[in-house]
Amino acid sequence: MDGFRIPIGQHVDSLVDGLQEHVGFVFDWINDVVYATVMGIESVLLGIPFIVFVVITALIAWKLAGKGVALFAIIGFLLVNNIGLWQPAMQTLSLVLTAEIITLLVGLPLGIIIAKHKGLDNSVRPVLDLMQTMPAFVYLIPAVMFFSLGRVPGVMATIIFSMPPMIRLTSLGIKQVPNDLVEAGHAFGCTPYQLLVKVELPHALTTIMAGVNQSIMLALSMVVIAAMIGAGGLGSMVLRGVQRVNIGLGFESGLAVVILAIFLDRITQGLGKKKQEF
Amino acid sequence: MDHKVVVENLVKIFGKNPSRGVELLQQGVAKDEILSSAKLTIGVADVSFHVDAGEIFVVMGLSGSGKSTLLRCLNRLHEPTAGKIVIDGEDITAMTRPALREFRRTKIGMVFQNFALYPNRTILDNVAFGLEIRGVEKDARQKIAQETIELVGLDGWENQYPSELSGGMQQRVGLARALALDPDILLMDEPFSALDPLIRKEMQEELLRLQEKMNKTIIFITHDLDEALSLGDRIAIMKDGWVVQLGTAEEILNNPEDEYVVKFTEDVDRSKILIAESVMHKPLAVALLEKDGVNVILRKIDKHGLSSILVVDGTHRVVGGLHPEDLVRAKKEGLSIKDIPVHEVSQTLLSTPLRSLLEMSSDTAFPLAVVDEDQKLVGVIARSHMLAALARRGVI
Ligand SMILES: Nc1ncnc2c1ncn2[C@@H]1O[C@H](COP(=O)(O)OP(=O)(O)O)[C@@H](O)[C@H]1O
Ligand SMILES: [Mg+2]
């Protein structure tokens, strides 16, 4: 047995090479779309006057999560601006938002499909487990191989890391719709599409929003790791603080991440609760 | 006229390769045995019956006897394993998916035991659900929904959510949701079982009140004999997937087919079955054919405020009835009661069920005469008595 080593690494290598060779255009396309999205969102966030941004986010926070969170948003963002981290904070926000949009676009349909096919559920579950337990650093390697360095591989690594809860909770939400509600839908002549949009999704919304919340939190936790492959933003400020043993900078950048995280967390939680208030 | 719903040799078996079970059933193997030997569950075993338009057909049986399965085959929420279901001449079992959806959207409504209301929709949107699925425009469907909400007595609640309503009210919503589609057929799976007894009674009355207006064909499931008796035109009793007896309430009570049915009927309060004796009144006054003259009879009528009077002979047997107008004329013209017309009066025995009486009394100005075995008059039933009695027991 000793002499033989199963060449897992080799196989992964050749798989990646093969993909790049044969379907490289797909990666190019993905690269373009993701890049355009990140930069688009970033230029909007940085394009609007700071004070307008604060007012808008405070209003959103007020509407969805109450006065306290609105006040927190105002003070938090003023602080981030004050310590000179506004630009990296907005870069990070646009990265997280882009990752979340794609996570939603992919995770929601996948979650629905998995909920509807029991067989699929059994085969996807271990993959999701693997995705979630694999150290996040590992995602940097394929991200770099396919998309080199910069924002796009940062977004891609973030997406892979934050996708599982989106899929899991969507599928859970759909499966949790009480059987008699589904049966009533059928009894009234729903098409499968009507059943999904008028019965299942509305009922699963709270759980799905919990998925959105969790995946955003995971995306934020990837900020520093993604910065290692050039994703920029607050992550790179943290890294700079570490490299230069600049505790002050590291702490300030970390604080800005925390402020963003709390804001996004309360907003998405509020969204889930709002919809649930019947 | 053709029957509204015809079910022929319907079989529903759960499990892998259910057609194997059909053979076993035909060989007469019992449900338990089929389950243990073939791992198949008999939901409905070879059931045939029909339901007429406007009828309330009740299916009754213990839990697990196959009632829900039978009902769900009628709109194919369960795919029948074998047999045929014909509604309005159309074979439901042969319908394509789109045809089936259309059928569910227009012809057949369903009410569920646990209401199955959508918690995130208002009452109005719950009631409008079926119309929304049918593709009716928002304004139109909300208008219909609003009218239906009023019909079931819930106006003012349309903007609340189901969780804000009591159980009884929620089931009114469930009923309204089905009625909003104006379906010919209503399937109701133990709709009142989750409600407490008083509310339950109230809902039964409500259903009968609505049914009088709408005349739907209703297939109603219950495990409660009292409910079956007060609602059902006919009752089918199920056991282990089979229909063991089918008939009117009287037929089933008087002639229970087997032990299982007897068990059901034993604890029924017999007074709930209304018979002539239980609703008749003592006659306030009668005209004695041999003795009374015109003036005496008129005085009797006057004193008791009667609108007509029965005439009996010396042995107290009913001869017929007299109209006051005829008596007044006789008095003016100096005639005797032998000279004025004595109208025929319907007679009935003490034990006749009220159901049959309703039909008898509808076309006569005289009350029904209730007589004993010797044909002696013992009571009268005015049509108003009958209705009052029925209403008191919550039958109408
Ligand atoms: N979806 C199902 N899968 C397997 N067995 C079922 C299913 N639905 C009902 N059954 C079985 O069919 C039989 C009849 O059930 P049901 O129609 O629900 O009875 P009831 O409504 O009279 O209580 C029971 O033995 C039940 O376990
Ligand atoms: Mg049942």
Side-chain angles (χ1 to χ4, degrees):
Chain A
M1 263 296 181
D2 323 312
F4 178 67
R5 181 183 178 282
I6 302 170
I8 297 175
Q10 252 174 39
H11 286 306
V12 173
D13 278 349
S14 57
L15 179 74
V16 171
D17 286 347
L19 282 175
Q20 239 167 355
E21 198 171 316
H22 297 291
V23 288
F25 64 94
V26 176
F27 295 108
D28 290 345
W29 180 79
I30 293 175
N31 185 70
D32 293 349
V33 172
V34 172
Y35 187 76
T37 313
V38 182
M39 295 320 277
I41 294 177
E42 191 180 310
S43 63
V44 170
L45 291 177
L46 288 171
I48 54 175
F50 168 68
I51 206 68
V52 174
F53 178 90
V54 172
V55 169
I56 292 175
T57 47
L59 279 178
I60 294 174
W62 189 33
K63 195 102 184 68
L64 293 177
K67 275 195 200 117
V69 180
L71 198 66
F72 171 84
I74 294 170
I75 296 173
F77 291 138
L78 282 173
L79 180 67
V80 172
N81 191 40
N82 180 265
I83 55 182
L85 289 176
W86 188 246
Q87 187 169 349
M90 289 305 100
Q91 285 174 350
T92 292
L93 186 58
S94 88
L95 192 126
V96 168
L97 288 180
T98 307
E100 187 52 32
I101 290 170
I102 297 171
T103 300
L104 249 174
L105 288 179
V106 177
L108 195 69
L110 270 181
I112 293 168
I113 293 170
I114 289 167
K116 302 255 166 185
H117 298 88
K118 210 167 160 29
L120 212 59
D121 191 16
N122 292 336
S123 50
V124 169
R125 191 187 303 259
V127 177
L128 293 180
D129 287 340
L130 188 79
M131 278 168 78
Q132 239 174 345
T133 43
M134 185 72 81
F137 281 95
V138 176
Y139 297 136
L140 297 182
I141 305 162
V144 170
M145 286 176 109
F146 290 118
F147 303 102
S148 84
L149 295 176
R151 296 273 204 286
V152 176
V155 170
M156 296 316 286
T158 306
I159 290 171
I160 302 174
F161 189 60
S162 61
M163 184 71 75
M166 190 66 232
I167 297 177
R168 250 186 235 284
L169 285 165
T170 301
S171 150
L172 180 72
I174 299 278
K175 277 190 285 192
Q176 273 177 342
V177 178
N179 193 37
D180 57 344
L181 296 188
V182 174
E183 200 177 38
H186 284 303
F188 282 93
C190 281
T191 60
Y193 176 74
Q194 283 176 321
L195 190 71
L196 182 67
V197 212
K198 295 191 189 288
V199 176
E200 292 172 321
L201 283 181
H203 205 275
L205 200 64
T206 313
T207 313
I208 293 174
M209 283 313 296
V212 170
N213 177 280
Q214 282 198 19
S215 60
I216 287 185
M217 292 304 110
L218 284 183
L220 272 166
S221 74
M222 274 292 280
V223 161
V224 177
I225 295 170
M228 296 168 111
I229 50 174
L234 292 171
S236 61
M237 304 308 278
V238 174
L239 284 182
R240 197 178 298 169
V242 173
Q243 283 153 3
R244 299 183 188 167
V245 202
N246 184 342
I247 296 177
L249 178 64
F251 184 79
E252 283 173 355
S253 317
L255 188 66
V257 173
V258 170
I259 289 170
L260 270 184
I262 293 179
F263 173 73
L264 290 173
D265 178 54
R266 296 302 130 87
I267 295 276
T268 47
Q269 271 186 19
L271 205 59
K273 281 206 196 90
K274 217 29 166 235
K275 296 287 181 192
Q276 195 198 17
E277 270 173 20
F278 7 85
Chain B
M1 206 195 79
D2 284 343
H3 301 302
K4 184 84 184 169
V5 179
V6 180
V7 174
E8 276 171 24
N9 302 106
L10 181 70
V11 180
K12 173 64 188 177
I13 295 173
F14 297 102
K16 284 201 183 108
N17 195 2
S19 44
R20 219 157 22 102
V22 179
E23 284 163 35
L24 291 173
L25 269 182
Q26 279 162 355
Q27 292 161 18
V29 184
K31 175 172 172 160
D32 295 345
E33 224 168 293
I34 296 181
L35 179 62
S36 56
S37 66
K39 301 274 176 293
L40 293 171
T41 308
I42 305 299
V44 173
D46 199 356
V47 163
S48 302
F49 63 90
H50 64 83
V51 185
D52 286 319
E55 189 179 20
I56 300 185
F57 185 86
V58 170
V59 181
M60 191 172 68
L62 295 178
S63 172
S65 57
K67 309 180 294 291
S68 298
T69 308
L70 172 64
L71 196 74
R72 277 159 176 68
C73 284
L74 296 182
N75 63 354
R76 269 178 61 188
L77 285 179
H78 285 327
E79 287 296 340
T81 308
K84 229 168 123 174
I85 299 163
V86 180
I87 295 180
D88 281 337
E90 201 173 352
D91 187 357
I92 302 305
T93 43
M95 273 185 179
T96 60
R97 281 276 139 196
L100 180 63
R101 276 199 289 272
E102 193 52 29
F103 166 74
R104 288 170 175 172
R105 286 175 184 187
T106 52
K107 265 224 161 126
I108 195 157
M110 194 163 188
V111 181
F112 298 84
Q113 177 170 1
N114 295 314
F115 323 137
L117 301 178
Y118 295 113
N120 47 351
R121 286 172 168 255
T122 60
I123 301 308
L124 188 71
D125 287 340
N126 261 289
V127 175
F129 180 76
L131 296 162
E132 187 177 329
I133 296 305
R134 197 194 275 176
V136 177
E137 288 299 316
K138 188 165 182 184
D139 286 347
R141 71 174 184 246
Q142 292 200 335
K143 184 164 168 286
I144 297 172
Q146 183 63 40
E147 286 165 6
T148 318
I149 286 172
E150 281 161 26
L151 184 70
V152 300
L154 282 181
D155 30 330
W157 292 89
E158 50 278 349
N159 295 320
Q160 309 310 113
Y161 287 91
S163 59
E164 297 169 286
L165 271 60
S166 70
M169 291 163 89
Q170 289 190 36
Q171 194 56 299
R172 282 170 195 262
V173 178
L175 187 58
R177 181 175 61 179
L179 290 178
L181 294 165
D182 195 23
D184 292 352
I185 301 169
L186 267 184
L187 305 179
M188 306 182 78
D189 190 356
E190 303 204 26
F192 307 147
S193 297
L195 307 175
D196 63 52
L198 276 178
I199 306 291
R200 189 167 178 171
K201 199 79 219 162
E202 195 182 303
M203 291 299 290
Q204 291 167 9
E205 286 167 29
E206 179 84 8
L207 180 66
L208 285 164
R209 180 182 72 79
L210 290 168
Q211 170 66 352
E212 196 151 302
K213 277 194 218 170
M214 305 185 303
N215 215 28
K216 305 280 179 207
T217 304
I218 299 178
I219 300 167
F220 188 105
I221 289 186
T222 179
H223 59 248
D224 175 42
L225 183 63
D226 285 337
E227 188 164 78
L229 293 177
S230 54
L231 294 177
D233 292 316
R234 284 185 304 142
I235 301 169
I237 298 185
M238 286 190 79
K239 179 194 177 189
D240 291 348
W242 299 90
V243 169
V244 288
Q245 188 165 9
L246 198 164
T248 63
E250 284 86 16
E251 282 164 11
I252 287 175
L253 289 176
N254 294 336
N255 273 313
E257 193 88 8
D258 64 5
E259 276 303 299
Y260 180 80
V261 182
V262 171
K263 274 235 176 63
F264 258 109
T265 55
E266 255 167 8
D267 52 333
V268 83
D269 178 2
R270 283 226 166 224
S271 70
K272 284 223 166 98
I273 303 302
L274 295 179
I275 55 172
E277 186 174 10
S278 51
V279 295
M280 71 181 191
H281 286 226
K282 272 214 148 9
L284 292 169
V286 290
L288 303 173
L289 184 63
E290 312 295 337
K291 258 173 67 186
D292 293 348
V294 172
N295 282 315
V296 175
I297 300 174
L298 272 171
R299 266 236 316 282
K300 285 183 177 174
I301 288 179
D302 207 33
K303 187 172 163 202
H304 297 285
L306 305 174
S307 57
S308 63
I309 192 161
L310 297 182
V311 184
V312 297
D313 64 12
T315 58
H316 228 69
R317 291 195 178 137
V318 179
V319 179
L322 291 171
H323 274 308
E325 302 90 77
D326 292 332
L327 288 161
V328 171
R329 192 166 48 83
K331 188 181 169 184
K332 264 191 213 150
E333 296 171 12
L335 306 169
S336 94
I337 61 168
K338 296 249 158 67
D339 302 321
I340 55 176
V342 175
H343 300 271
E344 200 181 315
V345 170
S346 310
Q347 302 188 14
T348 181
L349 287 168
L350 285 163
S351 59
T352 313
L354 209 59
R355 205 178 289 277
S356 347
L357 297 185
L358 269 173
E359 288 148 26
M360 282 169 68
S361 73
S362 58
D363 47 49
T364 160
F366 296 98
L368 272 174
V370 184
V371 298
D372 62 13
E373 293 89 1
D374 302 327
Q375 315 231 297
K376 289 192 172 140
L377 180 69
V378 286
V380 291
I381 305 176
R383 192 167 164 76
S384 59
H385 293 166
M386 227 180 285
L387 296 177
L390 287 170
R392 251 199 322 279
R393 311 210 182 196
V395 181
I396 48 177

